[in-house]
Amino acid sequence: MNILERYHAMDYGPAPEARNEADAWLAARDFSKALFIGGDWKAGDGKTFDTSDPASGKLLAKVSDAGAADIHAAVSAATKALPKWSASSGYSRAKVLYAIGRAMQRHQRLFAVLESIDNGKPIRESRDIDVPLAIRHFIHHAGWAQALDRDFPDQKGVGVVGQIIPWNFPLLMLAWKIAPALAAGCTVVLKPAEFTPLTAILFAEICQRAGVPKGVVNIVQGGPEAGAAIVNHPGVQKIAFTGSSEVGKIIRKATAGSGKKISLELGGKSAFVVFEDADLDSAVEGLVDGIWFNQGQVCCAGSRLLVQEGITEAFIAKVKARMSRLRVGSPLDKNTDIGPLVDLTQLDRVKGLVAEGAKQGAVCWQPDVALPSTGYYHLPTLATGVSPANILAQEEVFGPVLATMTFRNTEEAIELANNTRYGLAASVWSENVNLALHVAPQLKAGVVWVNGTNMFDAACGFGGYRESGFGREGGREGMFEYLSANLPLGPVVKPAPATAQPVERSESDVIDRTAKLFIGGKQVRPDGNYSLDIATAKGKLAGEVGLGSRKDIRDAVAAARACRAWPEATAYNRSQVLYYLAENLSGRAGEFAARLTELTGATAKAARDEVEQSIERLFLYAGLADKFEGRVHQPPARAVTLALHEPVGVVGIVASDNAPLLGLISLVAPALAMGNTVVAVPSEKYPLLATDLYQVIEYSDVPAGAINIVTGRSAELAGVLAKHDDVDGLWLFADAETCARAEADSVGNLKRVWTGNGRSLDWTSAEAAGDALLRRAVEVKNVWVPYGD
């Protein structure tokens, strides 16, 4: 046999990573006392749970299981530590974060081995990706801690933060959560997943060594009961959760009305789109990373392969050939590509979904690769002939299963990619960068990788749209999740009376005083043909307005969704229209001031001031429409990340009675400035100020459907907006009960909800305008664009 023949005949031999240090660490600890609370190790109430090696099923440790009393103790410790930690200088916090990162570097091999034996991921991934990136987050956020006052003026840490992380990236998710929280001056109670608690326990030891003050970081292991205790604890001001969409909805509902800030990074069904001009070999390697990284147990896994028809046969052949060379085996073997799934329950779930997908018509192919005799292994699986409605195309499998579909042209590719209730990530493969950057903004995903996949960095935000959750982790936008601005509060909003107050009617020479609804650019009668009497400040009839209903809200939402001219307009064009609105409102300032005085009893001067402030606010957002822009991040890789500001979509707005004109415009204007379309419910008591705006809107070049106004009972219409799955965001200033109910009702599509929790804002204040509202009006999409050979 010559040298060339020997070269081609060579196979990989075993290259095991030593685990003796990890075994020694395990043997030296009493994991029944593994709750890290107030800087000390505690046993809790004596209960424990097992954590096992998924490659063998063997027990690794019996770990203390936190109960409600333990969670309370942890929150109390965090509360006690909060004043001193939040008052410490940014430099002091930066030194602690840096010390954590450096201590992790000194023990990174131990972290990597523990992660692989507890989770099952190949050592190459934990060693080369998870642990270095976790360290990067702490060192990166040390810089944010020191720059906090400069880069986030008028912002402060939210307080005590409850954090719940999953088992697929135990250490990395911990870093994503804890690093920005500490940088912001928050204290933390973190619960790791019960399948994978070990690296969190090692991290707690690192906190002791790095000089983290007692109570600043508390780590409590446990199951769903511990998680629920964190979510429901009144001493927690923010919940940060990564996990399934189902649990995310439970958390959203549980926190409704509590005033807690929440961020949810949930499931995904990411599209991996391959155009016919792509480098197919590179795309195949990207696909391996996209779906078989961490056995497919990745929320942003590229689990839906969309291939252009002309290259399907050639590309699938390359994929099958590559799958046949994937090495399935021990996670501690440095040559392993695919390790075991985390647990038997996860293995059974993946098998069940594959079987159901096959029953629904998918052809499931697996390479002829031997599986280890022990452990929770599943072969990489390619499903072809998948219909868009197949369970493998719609449900998050969270395993090494790839569903394949084909498309004919760019428009069909975008439609298929967006045919999901999720919106976490996507990959676009094309040698034509113009095509890739044409497609990326049209994909409903928080992260889009061009000619790459699974690229992450602490400087770049990560998070989703739709049922993939809301909020961002990493980068500047991730810091905002742990900060709050003190918006000036207005009066408490009282519920509207159950029965209408009598209105004095008098003879008038006016033929009719009934205002209609404003939907799709037209004044229309309410579907139910009912109206409400609106009284002047003296109790006399000022006019009547349509009593909007569920059907009217549906029509308004449909009109807002159909309006493509506004979100597709340039920021400069939107700016011009908002300026024109201000100009035309200014031309009728006297009329609106008189109406304010008539309805509210305000003095002539106060009424004129509110109208002038409304015009000024329109001017403000007109000017900011083309200035509140995204950023370009430069991660430590040969890539740039475009952090694009995109409109949330259809935004429902429910205004309160205080400052009825200024309050409505202060909400509608920033939403419009960022390209959203709006369904507005104006003040229930003073809606004629909104109906008087119809003519101003009509002759100000506002596209039909960009602004829709439905008058009626605020609480009832807010509930309809909250439940409507085609509404993407809801801004609500109503009584506390209505706000809480709307937050709970929003779980259908996990829309972004901003409420005043029963209070209005002081709309006359400068703090109630500007960037604070514009940030709520945008989604940040991070598009990764690699460069170089």
Side-chain angles (χ1 to χ4, degrees):
M1 182 180 289
N2 61 36
I3 292 176
L4 185 61
E5 289 171 332
R6 287 180 183 275
Y7 175 79
H8 287 299
M10 281 195 301
D11 196 6
Y12 290 98
E17 172 75 29
R19 59 176 290 169
N20 53 303
E21 291 292 333
D23 287 335
W25 183 86
L26 288 166
R29 277 148 187 81
D30 180 0
F31 289 99
S32 67
K33 298 178 180 178
L35 302 181
F36 186 66
I37 298 174
D40 297 319
W41 298 98
K42 300 187 178 181
D45 60 10
K47 293 188 297 182
T48 62
F49 63 88
D50 295 347
T51 184
S52 302
D53 183 344
S56 64
K58 293 181 179 178
L59 178 70
L60 292 171
K62 288 184 174 292
V63 181
S64 48
D65 189 353
D70 304 313
I71 300 302
H72 179 69
V75 174
S76 298
T79 303
K80 182 179 179 181
L82 180 63
K84 187 173 181 180
W85 178 250
S86 61
S88 64
S89 69
Y91 174 51
S92 297
R93 295 198 300 273
K95 287 192 293 184
V96 171
L97 283 158
Y98 179 73
I100 291 172
R102 291 290 286 124
M104 291 176 71
Q105 282 180 328
R106 292 193 296 273
H107 298 277
Q108 58 185 343
R109 201 66 165 208
L110 177 58
F111 271 115
V113 175
L114 280 175
E115 197 81 325
S116 287
I117 64 175
D118 203 18
N119 168 274
K121 64 176 60 191
I123 187 68
R124 287 187 297 110
E125 296 175 6
S126 56
R127 179 195 66 199
D128 299 341
I129 300 172
D130 292 31
V131 177
L133 190 51
I135 294 166
R136 158 90 171 132
H137 270 265
F138 282 101
I139 295 177
H140 174 82
H141 283 90
W144 277 129
Q146 197 164 358
L148 200 66
D149 292 339
R150 185 197 70 186
D151 286 73
F152 301 92
D154 304 320
Q155 299 272 336
K156 67 175 185 177
V158 295
V160 176
V161 179
Q163 301 177 322
I164 302 170
I165 59 174
W167 45 258
N168 58 337
F169 290 92
L171 182 65
L172 186 55
M173 293 297 101
L174 176 151
W176 282 21
K177 296 284 190 291
I178 291 182
L182 297 191
C186 303
T187 55
V188 167
V189 177
L190 179 135
K191 188 194 85 67
E194 59 269 40
F195 285 153
T196 52
L198 296 182
T199 48
I201 295 170
L202 175 56
F203 177 80
E205 294 180 1
I206 293 292
C207 288
Q208 288 182 307
R209 297 172 190 175
V212 178
K214 291 186 175 184
V216 170
V217 173
N218 305 273
I219 294 179
V220 285
Q221 299 78 36
E225 291 182 8
I230 292 173
V231 168
N232 295 317
H233 199 289
V236 173
Q237 283 80 50
K238 173 184 166 62
I239 298 295
F241 172 78
T242 296
S244 71
S245 297
E246 291 72 20
V247 176
K249 290 181 178 182
I250 293 170
I251 291 173
R252 166 72 279 188
K253 200 161 190 174
T255 57
S258 68
K260 293 178 182 177
K261 190 171 185 176
I262 65 172
S263 53
L264 303 173
E265 195 264 283
L266 307 176
K269 197 68 186 173
S270 301
F272 191 100
V273 186
V274 183
F275 286 94
E276 59 189 2
D277 66 343
D279 179 335
L280 299 191
D281 291 326
S282 295
V284 168
E285 292 306 310
L287 186 62
V288 169
D289 184 41
I291 181 58
W292 291 301
F293 173 58
N294 197 18
Q295 295 72 257
Q297 298 170 132
V298 184
C299 53
C300 56
S303 55
R304 290 186 300 141
L305 171 61
L306 309 180
V307 189
Q308 198 154 14
E309 282 185 355
I311 59 167
T312 300
E313 186 176 345
F315 190 73
I316 294 300
K318 287 178 178 288
V319 171
K320 288 183 175 180
R322 185 66 178 86
M323 289 174 68
S324 299
R325 294 194 293 273
L326 292 173
R327 296 176 62 84
V328 182
S330 167
L332 290 183
D333 188 333
K334 301 181 186 71
N335 293 321
T336 292
D337 295 307
I338 297 179
L341 299 182
V342 73
D343 186 76
L344 180 60
T345 55
Q346 181 65 12
L347 177 61
D348 289 341
R349 180 180 182 276
V350 172
K351 286 180 176 178
L353 286 169
V354 171
E356 181 60 29
K359 190 185 297 183
Q360 294 179 10
V363 178
C364 296
W365 181 89
Q366 296 174 331
D368 184 16
V369 176
L371 292 179
S373 58
T374 61
Y376 312 125
Y377 290 89
H378 192 286
L379 284 171
T381 303
L382 174 67
T384 56
V386 176
S387 70
N390 190 291
I391 194 169
L392 296 179
Q394 291 297 323
E395 295 299 323
E396 185 179 35
V397 177
F398 226 60
V401 180
L402 177 65
T404 305
M405 292 170 278
T406 63
F407 63 88
R408 288 164 292 184
N409 53 39
T410 303
E411 291 71 25
E412 188 177 9
I414 294 168
E415 186 174 354
L416 281 171
N418 290 335
N419 181 34
T420 173
R421 67 181 188 274
Y422 298 108
L424 189 54
S427 294
V428 179
W429 292 78
S430 170
E431 289 295 280
N432 183 344
V433 71
N434 290 328
L435 173 61
L437 293 179
H438 167 71
V439 171
Q442 298 183 69
L443 299 180
K444 289 296 182 183
V447 180
V448 180
W449 297 293
V450 172
N451 292 331
T453 190
N454 282 341
M455 291 184 278
F456 309 100
D457 186 64
C460 307
F462 180 86
Y465 296 2
R466 297 174 170 175
E467 291 188 37
S468 290
F470 46 80
R472 294 293 181 266
E473 298 193 90
R476 182 182 178 84
E477 53 264 44
M479 282 299 300
F480 278 114
E481 300 299 328
Y482 293 92
L483 297 167
S484 63
N486 287 324
L487 294 178
L489 293 176
V492 172
V493 182
K494 297 179 180 179
T499 56
Q501 301 299 309
V503 176
E504 181 183 338
R505 294 176 176 271
S506 58
E507 292 185 8
S508 170
D509 57 0
V510 176
I511 296 175
D512 186 55
R513 289 180 290 180
T514 305
K516 300 176 182 178
L517 313 180
F518 190 71
I519 298 175
K522 299 177 181 178
Q523 298 186 43
V524 298
R525 293 185 179 87
D527 179 71
N529 280 318
Y530 285 99
S531 60
L532 284 175
D533 290 346
I534 303 303
T536 68
K538 297 179 179 179
K540 296 184 178 181
L541 181 69
E544 298 174 68
V545 297
L547 182 61
S549 65
R550 179 183 302 271
K551 176 64 164 58
D552 299 310
I553 291 290
R554 291 210 321 259
D555 291 345
V557 172
R561 181 64 67 190
C563 176
R564 301 306 312 156
W566 187 252
E568 291 176 1
T570 66
Y572 174 56
N573 285 343
R574 294 197 301 270
S575 172
Q576 288 179 297
V577 171
L578 288 172
Y579 275 129
Y580 200 22
L581 270 170
E583 177 185 329
N584 289 327
L585 178 58
S586 178
R588 296 179 58 181
E591 295 175 43
F592 278 88
R595 178 71 93 176
L596 269 166
T597 297
E598 176 193 22
L599 294 175
T600 68
T603 65
K605 180 181 184 306
R608 286 196 303 272
D609 287 347
E610 182 170 341
V611 175
E612 285 303 318
Q613 274 198 287
S614 300
I615 297 166
E616 181 182 345
R617 199 116 323 157
L618 281 168
F619 250 70
L620 171 69
Y621 289 114
L624 292 176
D626 58 356
K627 297 174 185 65
F628 189 73
E629 299 175 306
R631 291 169 174 255
V632 177
H633 300 305
Q634 295 175 277
R638 291 195 304 169
V640 293
T641 308
L642 312 178
L644 307 177
H645 282 179
E646 297 188 337
V648 171
V650 175
V651 176
I653 291 174
V654 181
S656 61
D657 293 336
N658 77 303
L661 178 64
L662 178 60
L664 178 65
I665 286 176
S666 294
L667 291 167
V668 170
L672 290 175
M674 294 296 99
N676 299 283
T677 55
V678 170
V679 176
V681 177
S683 159
E684 181 175 333
K685 192 174 181 181
Y686 310 118
L688 291 174
L689 286 158
T691 62
D692 288 350
L693 283 171
Y694 294 173
Q695 289 183 340
V696 176
I697 295 169
E698 285 171 332
Y699 55 69
S700 296
D701 296 338
V702 179
I707 307 175
N708 305 274
I709 298 175
V710 179
T711 55
R713 304 290 187 195
S714 295
E716 177 186 334
L717 299 179
V720 179
L721 286 166
K723 293 177 182 177
H724 201 304
D725 285 351
D726 227 15
V727 174
D728 303 298
L730 177 60
W731 300 355
L732 173 63
F733 290 87
D735 62 276
E737 182 181 348
T738 298
C739 290
R741 190 165 55 246
E743 287 181 329
D745 289 343
S746 71
V747 298
N749 68 338
L750 283 174
K751 59 176 63 66
R752 287 88 175 116
V753 180
W754 172 35
T755 80
N757 294 307
R759 299 286 295 269
S760 185
L761 293 184
D762 176 6
W763 297 113
T764 64
S765 170
E767 288 78 22
D771 288 7
L773 275 74
L774 291 171
R775 277 195 298 273
R776 299 182 184 277
V778 297
E779 294 277 18
V780 181
K781 171 181 285 182
N782 281 272
V783 179
W784 288 71
V785 184
Y787 57 80
D789 293 334

